[in-house]
Amino acid sequence: MNPIKTILREIFGLFVDDGTFALAILLWLFVVRTLSPHLGNASAWSGPILFFGLALILIESAARYSRRRTLK
Amino acid sequence: MGIGWAHIGTSITASFLASLVECVEALTVVLAVGSVRGWRSALIGSASAIAVLLLIIAALGTALTHIPLHILQLTVGTLLLLFGLRWLRKAILRAAGLIPLHDEAAAFSKNTAAMRQHGNLPAAWDKIAFAAAFNITMLEGTEVVFIVIAIGAGRAGTLLPASLGAVAALLVVTALGFILHRPLARVPENTLKFIVGVLLSAFGTFWVGEGLHLQWPAADWSILALIAAYLLLALATVPLCRNRSQTVASIP
């Protein structure tokens, strides 16, 4: 295989092994970025809101994997 | 506000532990290559990869100083989030028994067998040993470089502590490799990966928040709260995944 292709695939693999999981993280960052200027008084908690979304994505992805893995 | 111990201490710890995991994995392969094909070419291969990585660090370090901080925090933070959460998810699934644990002794045996399949040893220069050692050092080293930059680039003054953490890990693993001459199978690598996943996810979340100009209730100290929150979350998710897989398995 082309060595450049191999290196690029390895680098991509550092960040993405489950496409849905990676996409959900990026979508959540986009949502927070879009909504954060409109949070008003709640903006003091915009950092924790970012964390809670990521936490939910992590739990959902791990639970989905465990369910899928067992059904195989 | 200058950088405080919340940043310096966590930068060194995160960088040291993450680099330790990568160095242990590289050491296993280099030991397998060296013990089967000879040490000279294997060590030159590893040293060459380290030299290339140092050049990359020097080039990137200079380039990073020209990028506005909030763009750097957002970009590096996003990559660190993808990297750290992927690592943490894998660690949770390993701890729940859903994917196999990493075993250095097994990796050593596999690599030793692979090296033996290449046949007789050349007299002086062994291209196979050089390439194998170079590749694994480059591969694991690239991860170390990314981790150091990602941890250290988010705030002025944290690149040095992050680099020191990585150098300390390299020295510890190299020294142990020279003394023991066998893979470091007793290092609790899977526990380390769990902790590192927590630390990298916390840093990634914090840097992205800073890059997006989000507010953290305790300013810089929020990074410690994020570490604690991710740790509790990960510890709570392990039994959840285990129970979920058992429940699904028991459905006829």
Side-chain angles (χ1 to χ4, degrees), chain A residues 10 13-15 17-18 26 33 36 43-44 46-47 50-51 54-55 59 61-63 65-67 69-71, chain B residues 78-79 82-83 85-86 89 93 98-99 139 143 146 205 212 214-216 229-230 233 241 244-245 248-249:
Chain A
E10 292 287 351
L14 290 180
F15 307 104
D17 63 359
D18 178 330
L26 294 176
R33 185 186 180 171
S36 60
S43 68
S46 51
L50 170 70
F51 164 76
L54 293 170
I59 294 171
S61 175
Y65 181 92
S66 61
R67 191 169 153 267
R69 171 94 183 173
T70 317
L71 286 174
Chain B
T78 303
L79 290 175
L82 291 171
F83 183 79
L85 285 174
R86 172 187 155 271
R89 175 178 172 274
L93 295 173
L98 292 164
I99 54 176
L139 183 66
E143 291 193 46
F146 168 71
T205 307
L212 292 175
L214 304 182
Q215 303 291 317
W216 296 104
Y230 271 116
L233 173 77
C241 288
R244 197 177 174 91
S245 68
V248 174

Side-chain angles (χ1 to χ4, degrees), chain A residues 2-54:
Chain A
N2 183 345
I4 304 280
K5 235 181 189 175
T6 311
I7 292 168
L8 289 177
R9 209 176 59 173
E10 292 287 351
I11 291 174
F12 182 75
L14 290 180
F15 307 104
V16 180
D17 63 359
D18 178 330
T20 313
F21 181 55
L23 195 63
I25 294 169
L26 294 176
L27 272 175
W28 178 241
L29 297 188
F30 178 76
V31 168
V32 172
R33 185 186 180 171
T34 309
L35 293 183
S36 60
H38 310 289
L39 284 174
N41 289 338
S43 68
W45 290 90
S46 51
I49 289 170
L50 170 70
F51 164 76
F52 285 121
L54 293 170

Side-chain angles (χ1 to χ4, degrees), chain B residues 109-248:
Chain B
S109 303
K110 191 179 145 198
N111 281 290
T112 307
M115 283 295 120
R116 286 203 177 103
Q117 281 181 347
H118 286 290
N120 291 339
L121 299 176
W125 178 246
D126 186 351
K127 274 194 284 187
I128 292 167
F130 177 87
F134 182 87
N135 285 346
I136 190 65
T137 311
M138 265 311 274
L139 183 66
E140 303 298 346
T142 303
E143 291 193 46
V144 171
V145 169
F146 168 71
I147 289 164
V148 169
I149 289 175
I151 291 172
R155 175 138 317 181
T158 49
L159 197 54
L160 183 64
S163 306
L164 289 176
V167 170
L170 177 68
L171 292 177
V172 167
V173 172
T174 307
L176 287 173
F178 270 111
I179 295 165
L180 300 174
H181 268 234
R182 60 188 170 85
L184 305 180
R186 298 180 79 175
V187 171
E189 199 176 333
N190 294 299
T191 308
L192 279 179
K193 282 182 171 171
F194 199 96
I195 297 166
V196 169
V198 165
L199 291 170
L200 297 184
S201 301
F203 268 99
T205 307
F206 189 78
W207 291 149
V208 167
E210 294 281 284
L212 292 175
H213 304 295
L214 304 182
Q215 303 291 317
W216 296 104
D220 282 5
W221 291 100
S222 293
I223 200 149
L224 296 179
L226 280 170
I227 290 169
Y230 271 116
L231 183 62
L232 289 174
L233 173 77
L235 290 173
T237 309
V238 172
L240 179 81
C241 288
R242 208 178 283 140
N243 293 340
R244 197 177 174 91
S245 68
Q246 284 166 358
T247 309
V248 174

